[in-house]
Amino acid sequence: MRFKKTSYQIGLFSEFLARWYLRFHGYRILKSRYITGKNTNRAEIDIIAKHKNTIVFIEVKSRQSVSAAWDAITPTQSARLRRAAETFLINSHWTGDARFDVIIVCGHKIYWSKNAI
């Protein structure tokens, strides 16, 4: 008997794969599922990682196709991610570089786009 995974479970597994993939490429995971205060209209940042002198905010999407994953990142979501990242940078007193990446999990493949948002 096969059990159908919920979209929540698929998302959690995709984030796990993304963290593994980032570690494999020399990134250190600082935070997973970072959320700024409740009711602040902020977004959840899936992964915050560090590589050399750069903090990387990563949005993870799991969809049937790469184009569907890109379509799921709306301008509203991008703005919320930026505000949440600004909060993290202010609270951590970070003075180095920062960027936004997107990791798309599509089937058994991982697509990583740097400086994507």
Side-chain angles (χ1 to χ4, degrees):
M1 175 191 275
R2 296 187 93 180
F3 294 99
K4 181 151 173 62
K5 291 183 180 178
T6 65
S7 59
Y8 178 75
Q9 291 170 321
I10 292 168
L12 288 178
F13 184 70
S14 296
E15 289 175 20
F16 168 79
L17 288 176
R19 286 191 305 272
W20 174 85
Y21 192 77
L22 289 164
R23 285 186 191 112
F24 181 76
H25 284 88
Y27 286 69
R28 185 169 58 107
I29 306 302
L30 301 177
K31 299 270 183 190
S32 291
R33 312 191 88 211
Y34 174 78
I35 303 172
T36 56
K38 289 184 180 180
N39 303 320
T40 61
N41 201 25
R42 304 279 178 159
E44 173 187 304
I45 299 174
D46 295 328
I47 301 169
I48 302 173
K50 183 178 178 196
H51 187 256
K52 298 181 183 174
N53 193 36
T54 304
I55 293 283
V56 185
F57 301 96
I58 299 116
E59 177 66 14
V60 179
K61 291 292 183 191
S62 179
R63 297 290 190 275
Q64 294 294 320
S65 69
V66 174
S67 62
W70 281 112
D71 290 344
I73 303 172
T74 65
T76 302
Q77 182 185 20
S78 295
R80 284 191 191 134
L81 288 169
R82 287 191 184 280
R83 287 193 304 269
E86 288 169 358
T87 301
F88 177 84
L89 292 172
I90 289 168
N91 290 340
S92 66
H93 306 290
W94 180 254
T95 57
D97 295 329
R99 73 171 195 251
F100 284 89
D101 292 359
V102 172
I103 292 181
I104 297 171
V105 179
C106 186
H108 296 292
K109 292 188 178 184
I110 296 176
Y111 301 91
W112 183 6
S113 180
K114 297 179 181 179
N115 288 316
I117 298 178

